[in-house]
Amino acid sequence: MPQTEALFARYGSMYRWLATAAAMVSAIAVVLSSTIVNVAVPAIMGQFGIDQTRVQWLATGFLAAMTVTMLLSAWCERTFGQRQTMMVALGVFLFGSVLGGLAPDDTVLIVSRVIQGAAAGVIQPLAMVVMFQVFPPDKRGAAMGIFGIGVVLAPALGPWVGGLLMDSFDWRFLFYLGIPFGLGGITLAHLFLPDRDPAAAKARLDWPALVWLSVALLALLETMSSGQRQGWASTPVLAGFAITVTCAAAFLFRESRIPHPLLDLRVFASPPFAAAAAVSFVLGAGLYGTTYLLPVFVQQIQNFTPTQAGLLLMPAGFVLVIVFPAAGMMSDRLSPGLLIGAGMAIFAYSSWLTAHVSADTAFWTLAWWTVIGRIGMGFVFPSLSSAALKVLPLELLSQGSGSMNFTRQLGGALGTGILGVIIERRTAFHGDALAATQTSDNSATGSYLMEAARTVQALGLGPLEQLPAAGWLLGQGVYYQAAAAAYRDGFLITTMVFAAALAPTWVLHRALSRVAGRSLTGSRSASAAEASRATKG
């Protein structure tokens, strides 16, 4: 690329590290914001008076917007160049951050998260492209290792830093945390990223497909969010599902007919790749879903502070820094299918352990269960992408890589939304079941009310106020027990989904074994032919 070569001529070999700094700072700005808001969910619910299905839009809106705009990153780079694309995307991200910090209500807050996610979908893939362009093939592994450590440490430290900001100031400061990185990224991008190559041909953007996909995701997430309130058989909910199916079908139909689609569906014609995409979808759902649920659970049920909730996730993030390089080296020696299967089984075991969580579960027990899950993910991530691409022909490698990122982000958006719905539904279910047992015939209920009445009497409440106050305390106790049971159900469902994902993992493993077998047979045939020619000679 002439523009990149000119920058190398200006800065020498140091340029690749300057470009790396621009890519890393930009990526950290958006990665930091992807999960940091999770520690603020209970506080936001309390301030704006919204329920679980409404507040989960803070996570799903970000991930859904990121899923859509991730397909735009390559077009933006070809059309505007790396410098302009990165600077504009970071500017959009900063606007979303400021808007979120100043949001007067939950609607504006959700819109700000969608804006942040839209920018993140362009920035993250572009940062990877920058790294690949400035490093030669024999040094890309080490470069990506350095880049990966920075990107992994950001979400590991982010919730803890966010918790400190919340405990010291307010949840709004969480939106401001990424601003210094965004400003730094704009400055570095302006100085060190290449402009558009004037000789490069501009690509056409498939706007209709982009609209169909956006409407399909928006309709699905909104329908899931409102289903519990309006009734799953109500007309608005059924209409929402109909819009989702129609738009998704229109998107798939168009992508199968045009020569340069946003999402190349040819890659999914390969059963092994389709199996890898299914595993990637489940992986995204598990990663983002559990990262959302756990901080909310410990604050709502165990009364953790935001700082403590952030600290809970920190050991798992640091473990990933160790596991990623080790798993990468193991994938060179062992079958990727075996590593993926082992990682999925380990994460399923972690979710099964977490399905036994209660209000009395110790901090370090929860932290250890989370560490186990991240160890499993550490085995899956390095192996899954390489394994999926091995079963594709060379001309589809770039499309396959983009499709894997797309399915993982789509899994994160839908998985987080579905888990939010499950928690609300199961909380109502367990609440009704527990409330039905709180009768005058229940001796435990009577004892609890008498004890609660004595407690509120000691606080100075009069005789007429004691019984209603005791009843309110009983209702709160029932709610907390119901909510804890609902979270356990959510983690149990995650366990079952990850266990079920072992089936497509096995399909992928068998396909990789056949590819390896053909490669070995081919190399042996070539060696035999070479030996025969040498003998004849």
Side-chain angles (χ1 to χ4, degrees), residues 390-391 511-525:
K390 283 181 181 178
V391 300
L512 292 171
S513 299
R514 288 194 295 270
V515 171
R518 287 195 296 268
S519 300
L520 182 59
T521 302
S523 63
R524 286 175 177 173
S525 299

Side-chain angles (χ1 to χ4, degrees), residues 467-524:
L467 188 58
W472 180 85
L473 289 175
L474 176 62
Q476 289 296 104
V478 167
Y479 170 77
Y480 281 118
Q481 290 187 48
Y487 280 104
R488 287 194 289 269
D489 291 344
F491 287 113
L492 183 60
I493 290 171
T494 305
T495 303
M496 293 187 290
V497 171
F498 268 78
L502 292 175
T505 302
W506 175 249
V507 173
L508 178 61
H509 172 64
R510 291 293 299 273
L512 292 171
S513 299
R514 288 194 295 270
V515 171
R518 287 195 296 268
S519 300
L520 182 59
T521 302
S523 63
R524 286 175 177 173

